[in-house]
């Protein structure tokens, strides 16, 4: 309905302008969104310079990424022509399973120039951190999950030099 669309446009405009006022104070601003393609995610895409796409190593993840790319193209066409793809990040990777390895290889092959070399493993400490209301670096700084995020951060910075 037109009224809902107008409200969405206004909210996106406000969000983008609010980010613009603080943008110069930070090297990076991350907007963490739920795994859906609703208004919140579209608003975040409208307000962003680029998108980092986490993808689990599960069968239906590739279908979800196709839908996300479709949404990104719509946002680029209608609201944010400068929106770029920062990269695709493999998450919840379990190197012990054939499926995880096959999906990771498929992601690397399909999105070779956009797939991060870093990946985030399945890790108990990463799963525990939200319950403690602490970031992983405070909860378990030496865990494999924390090490993986540090590696990702270095790769992200290097890619943007």
């Amino acid at each position: 309905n037109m009224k809902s669309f107008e409200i969405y446009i206004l909210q996106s405009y406000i969000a983008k302008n609010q980010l613009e006022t603080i943008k110069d104070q930070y090297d990076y601003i991350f907007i963490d969104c739920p795994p859906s393609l609703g208004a919140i995610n579209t608003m975040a895409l409208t307000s962003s310079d680029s998108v980092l796409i986490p993808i689990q190593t599960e069968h239906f993840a590739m279908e979800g990424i196709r839908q996300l790319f479709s949404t990104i193209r719509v946002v680029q066409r209608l609201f944010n022509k400068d929106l770029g793809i920062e990269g695709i990040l493999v998450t919840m990777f379990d190197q012990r399973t054939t499926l995880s390895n096959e999906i990771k290889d498929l992601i690397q092959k399909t999105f070779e120039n956009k797939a991060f070399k870093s990946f985030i493993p399945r890790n108990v400490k990463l799963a525990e951190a939200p319950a403690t209301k602490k970031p992983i670096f405070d909860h378990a700084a030496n865990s494999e999950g924390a090490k993986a995020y540090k590696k990702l951060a270095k790769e992200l910075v290097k890619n943007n030099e």
Side-chain angles (χ1 to χ4, degrees), residues 10 27 76 99 129-130 151:
L10 180 60
D27 294 324
Q76 288 170 324
L99 179 62
K151 185 176 177 184

Side-chain angles (χ1 to χ4, degrees), residues 3-64:
K3 185 76 168 165
S4 296
F5 183 71
E6 289 172 350
I7 290 170
Y8 163 75
I9 295 295
L10 180 60
Q11 289 172 333
S12 294
Y13 178 76
I14 290 168
K16 188 167 182 85
N17 283 337
Q18 287 175 334
L19 282 172
E20 286 295 326
T21 65
I22 64 167
K23 193 174 175 178
D24 293 338
Q25 299 172 37
Y26 301 94
D27 294 324
Y28 298 92
I29 298 173
F30 290 89
I31 305 171
D32 190 9
C33 296
S36 71
L37 297 176
I40 291 172
N41 288 26
T42 306
M43 198 177 314
L45 293 171
T46 299
S47 303
S48 299
D49 295 328
S50 62
V51 58
L52 186 155
I53 303 168
I55 183 169
Q56 294 181 16
T57 50
E58 296 178 359
H59 178 69
F60 290 112
M62 293 301 283
E63 182 58 34

Side-chain angles (χ1 to χ4, degrees), residues 91-103:
T91 63
M92 301 183 89
F93 175 68
D94 186 346
Q95 67 184 18
R96 300 169 299 175
T97 69
T98 302
L99 179 62
S100 274
N101 284 289
E102 287 174 354
I103 298 291

Side-chain angles (χ1 to χ4, degrees), residues 121 123-126 136-137 139-150:
N123 181 260
V124 172
K125 295 298 182 186
L126 282 175
I136 189 62
F137 301 107
H139 176 64
N142 293 318
S143 68
E144 291 304 312
K147 291 175 186 175
Y149 274 108
K150 285 178 189 175

